[in-house]
Amino acid sequence: MSTITTVMPVLRGADPERTTAPYENWRPPVIGVSLLVPVGSDSLVVADLCDLILMPTGSVHDGRNPSEAAHDVLRGAPEGLPLLRRVALACTQMRRRKVITHIWATAPMTREDVGALSYHDPRADVRVLPTMRILDELTQSGRLRVLVALQALATGETAYIEGGIVQPSTPPDLANE
């Protein structure tokens, strides 16, 4: 079997060992917010988008902080969402930009309060499902985020996930975003 080989031209002054530029952070980071909304002791609120189960999620636009953006993810609560605190921060380096997700927990809600909520995407329905079923249906990264966020909520800590690995502390430059 014959093979075809070509010789790559080397530009004058270029490093012959380096043929491509790294893809890290060519664009500004994408910053988002996800909500962990407990219902009772064994259920969570999820968004059901065409049979795809996901945590209620939204984006943080310029000039806003994550807690303000978290209030816009779910609407319809009579007195606003009862946000408690940020329980986790997840960072993932994608090919050309970093994706930073702030995970906020709310105070436990009742099923009646959840019935009045609507997701910011009109195609999705807000549902209350048992935590174990949600964990079965989420992707591996989604499952990690939910489990770490639940643990952080129980312990009173703020967890930090970098590239799918739980880190021992939150980096100081991301702690206040």
Side-chain angles (χ1 to χ4, degrees), residues 39 45 75-77 109-118 126-128:
V39 178
V45 171
R75 297 182 183 103
M109 298 180 75
T110 64
R111 289 183 183 269
E112 293 78 29
D113 291 339
V114 172
L117 296 178
S118 64
V126 175
R127 296 180 57 195
V128 176

Side-chain angles (χ1 to χ4, degrees), residues 88-102:
L89 179 67
C91 297
T92 304
Q93 179 65 50
M94 303 304 279
R95 186 171 182 184
R96 294 184 178 152
R97 65 172 63 183
K98 185 172 264 193
V99 177
I100 301 168
T101 306
H102 299 266

Side-chain angles (χ1 to χ4, degrees), residues 92-176:
T92 304
Q93 179 65 50
M94 303 304 279
R95 186 171 182 184
R96 294 184 178 152
R97 65 172 63 183
K98 185 172 264 193
V99 177
I100 301 168
T101 306
H102 299 266
I103 303 171
W104 283 80
T106 68
M109 298 180 75
T110 64
R111 289 183 183 269
E112 293 78 29
D113 291 339
V114 172
L117 296 178
S118 64
Y119 191 52
H120 68 89
D121 186 344
R123 299 173 296 166
D125 295 321
V126 175
R127 296 180 57 195
V128 176
L129 296 177
T131 305
M132 294 308 293
R133 178 174 170 200
I134 293 169
L135 292 173
D136 287 342
E137 293 190 26
L138 288 175
T139 63
Q140 182 178 355
S141 62
R143 187 177 310 118
L144 174 68
R145 288 179 184 187
V146 169
L147 287 172
V148 168
L150 285 169
Q151 182 179 10
L153 181 62
T155 61
E157 298 290 323
T158 299
Y160 175 53
I161 306 167
E162 174 72 43
I165 299 171
V166 180
Q167 302 295 319
S169 64
T170 304
D173 59 332
L174 294 177
N176 297 323

